[in-house]
Amino acid sequence: MLGAALAGPSALAAPATLKIAFVDPLSGGGASTGEAGLRTFQYMAEQNNAKNADLKLEVTGYDNKLNPQESLVQLQKAIDSGARVVVQGNGSSVAAAIIDFVSKYNDRNPGKEILYLNYAAVDPALTNAKCNYWHFRFDANSDIKMAALTNFIKGKPEVKKVYLINQDYSFGQAVRSAARAMLKEKRPDVQIVGDEVAPLQKVNDFSPYIAKVKASGADTVITGNWGQDMSLLLKAAADAGLQANFYTYYGGGAGAPTAIKQANLGDRVFQIAEGYANIPYPPGHDFEKAFRARIGQELTYPRVVNLMNILVKAATEAKSTDPKAIAKAMESIHNDTLYGKDSFMRPDDHQLFQTMYISNFGPIDTAKDFDSENTGWGWKGIGEISAKDTVVPTTCKMDRPS
C-alpha cells in the first residue's frame, strides 16, 4: 500500500495525495492549447483516482499568460497551496525560467523539493546546456522531430522549394536552424526560398506571410507553429488558395484540423508526433473513444497520458509521493505508451524516448476511423520511428543531489 508505506513522523494516511500544478496559458492566444492540456491532465487524474486506492492525484490550473515572469508568480502560488509537481509545456522560454526557479527553490528548501515534468517544451537546450535533475521531458525535442521529418522528406523528390515559417523565440529558432542543417545534409538539392519568424501568439493575420510563400514558388512549408499561430497560418493559406505541402510539429492542435479542411489541403498537411487517434491498436482506440465521450474533444496530447502513467508508476515503485523519491524512480523508468510501445527515460538528461509517428490529414472512412473536429477528415499513418531510432546525443552534465 503506497500510503501505508509512508511511515515516520510525517506519514500520510492512505490514500496519499499528490498535488500537481498545471502552469500554462489559459487566456490569450495560447488558451485553446492550454485548456486542452489541462483537461487531459485532469482526465488522467480522474481515471487514476477511480481505480487507485493508494495514490490520489489533484490537478489545479494556473494561468501563466504565456509569460515567463507570470509563470513564476503562479508557480509560487501553487507551491504555497501544497503542489509538489509542476507540469508545463507551452513555450520553451517559460520552461527555461521554470527550470531555473525549481533548481534554486530546491537548493534553498531541502526536504520540500518540487518536481518539474515538461510535456511539450522541446527546445533541445532544455536537456542539454540547461539540463537539471528536477526536470524531466516527455516530448521528443525539436531536433528529434526534425530528423524524422527530414528523413521522410529525403524520399520525396517532389519537394524542391521549401519555405520556413516559425515563431520568434527559442523553440522556433531551434526548428529553423535544424531544418536548414538537416535539409542541407540530406537533400542538398532542395532550395530554401524563405525563412520567416513571427511574434509568438501575437499575429492575428498570417496573409502577408502566405503571400510571400506564394510569391516564392515554394511547394513545401515547414513550421513549428502551435496554437492560434498554426490555425491562423492555415486559415490564411485557405484564403489565398495556397496548395503547398505543410510539414508540421503541431498540425493536430486545436483549430488546425478545421483550418486544413477549409483550405482543402487533403493529404497535404503532415505531422510528427508521439501518436494519433487512428493508430491500429485497440486499447488506444478504446481510450480515445472514452476520452471523447467524457471530455467532448479529441485527444491532442497522448504524451500527457504517458506522463501521468509514468508518474503513477514511479510513485508506486518509490512507495512515496516525495519528489526526491519519485525522481530517483523515474530516472531510468520504462513504460508502455498509450499505443503499446516501450518508452524509456534516459538518466543522463531526463529525456524520454518513445516511438514517433508521421501522419497526414485527409478524408477517411468515419465508420472505421476517428475524424478530427467533426470535419470528416482524420489523421492517417504514413511512417513510424521506433524509440531506439530517435535517440540523439546529449551534452548534459547533470548535478545530482546527495
Side-chain angles (χ1 to χ4, degrees):
M1 296 285 284
L2 181 67
L6 298 171
S10 57
L12 299 175
T17 298
L18 184 59
K19 292 188 175 183
I20 301 168
F22 175 92
V23 179
D24 250 336
L26 299 173
S27 62
S32 62
T33 304
E35 288 166 358
L38 177 58
R39 284 192 287 267
T40 308
F41 274 104
Q42 290 179 331
Y43 177 81
M44 289 302 295
E46 178 183 281
Q47 294 299 300
N48 172 80
N49 296 348
K51 63 186 179 184
N52 193 334
D54 295 329
L55 176 64
K56 300 302 178 185
L57 304 177
E58 180 182 310
V59 179
T60 303
Y62 294 85
D63 182 11
N64 71 355
K65 303 177 175 63
L66 200 58
N67 178 278
Q69 290 73 35
E70 182 64 23
S71 299
L72 304 187
V73 171
Q74 296 302 319
L75 178 51
Q76 186 62 60
K77 287 182 181 179
I79 293 169
D80 292 344
S81 296
R84 303 297 301 276
V85 174
V86 56
V87 295
Q88 178 272 342
N90 293 295
S92 290
S93 56
V94 172
I98 291 177
I99 288 174
D100 288 342
F101 177 96
V102 169
S103 176
K104 292 172 184 175
Y105 179 89
N106 288 352
D107 284 347
R108 295 166 182 165
N109 295 275
K112 298 180 180 179
E113 291 87 357
I114 57 175
L115 194 60
Y116 169 31
L117 307 182
N118 168 5
Y119 72 97
V122 295
D123 183 347
L126 300 176
T127 46
N128 286 290
K130 289 194 69 66
C131 70
N132 185 271
Y133 180 81
W134 304 105
H135 165 245
F136 291 79
R137 175 156 54 195
F138 291 82
D139 194 4
N141 76 36
S142 61
D143 285 354
I144 294 171
K145 293 183 179 184
M146 187 58 69
L149 284 180
T150 51
N151 281 341
F152 183 75
I153 289 172
K154 182 170 63 176
K156 295 290 180 181
E158 64 270 25
V159 177
K160 295 181 172 66
K161 294 184 177 182
V162 170
Y163 207 104
L164 307 177
I165 300 179
N166 288 287
Q167 295 152 315
D168 192 9
Y169 75 115
S170 60
F171 161 65
Q173 298 291 350
V175 173
R176 69 194 294 219
S177 62
R180 281 186 168 277
M182 294 182 189
L183 285 173
K184 183 178 181 180
E185 176 192 349
K186 300 170 188 178
R187 282 290 306 275
D189 60 305
V190 166
Q191 184 182 359
I192 296 177
V193 295
D195 187 353
E196 298 266 351
V197 290
L200 177 63
Q201 307 296 346
K202 291 180 180 177
V203 177
N204 295 318
D205 181 7
F206 275 87
S207 58
Y209 296 88
I210 292 297
K212 291 180 182 179
V213 176
K214 288 192 76 172
S216 74
D219 52 66
T220 300
V221 175
I222 295 178
T223 180
N225 280 19
W226 58 269
Q228 73 172 21
D229 289 346
M230 184 74 251
S231 55
L232 291 177
L233 178 67
L234 291 164
K235 180 180 183 299
D239 294 343
L242 175 65
Q243 288 291 300
N245 290 327
F246 284 75
Y247 287 86
T248 79
Y249 286 26
Y250 303 114
T258 298
I260 297 169
K261 175 71 178 292
Q262 290 171 346
N264 196 29
L265 291 170
D267 299 325
R268 303 197 71 164
V269 177
F270 301 80
Q271 176 176 240
I272 176 72
E274 76 286 352
Y276 59 96
N278 293 315
I279 290 173
Y281 180 65
H285 284 213
D286 293 343
F287 184 97
E288 184 78 30
K289 190 179 298 182
F291 184 86
R292 292 186 180 206
R294 176 71 179 87
I295 303 300
Q297 66 180 48
E298 64 209 70
L299 178 67
T300 55
Y301 285 116
R303 57 189 173 274
V304 170
V305 178
N306 300 334
L307 181 159
M308 291 290 269
N309 286 337
I310 287 174
L311 174 59
V312 170
K313 182 176 182 178
T316 301
E317 289 182 355
K319 297 182 173 63
S320 175
T321 55
D322 179 67
K324 197 170 184 178
I326 292 173
K328 185 176 181 180
M330 195 178 285
E331 272 209 295
S332 54
I333 204 164
H334 281 250
N335 201 53
D336 282 354
T337 68
L338 175 59
Y339 307 107
K341 304 285 189 176
D342 179 53
S343 68
F344 58 91
M345 187 69 68
R346 179 165 62 186
D348 294 356
D349 60 349
H350 294 179
Q351 169 69 57
L352 186 78
F353 293 96
Q354 60 203 311
T355 299
M356 300 296 291
Y357 303 87
I358 298 176
S359 56
N360 69 350
F361 191 71
I364 57 166
D365 181 352
T366 55
K368 296 188 298 183
D369 292 316
F370 294 104
D371 78 339
S372 186
E373 298 183 346
N374 299 313
T375 59
W377 288 13
W379 294 96
K380 300 171 288 187
I382 55 173
E384 179 177 323
I385 307 97
S386 69
K388 65 180 177 60
D389 289 333
T390 70
V391 175
V392 296
T394 181
T395 59
C396 174
K397 304 296 182 185
M398 186 180 290
D399 291 327
R400 286 176 159 75
S402 55

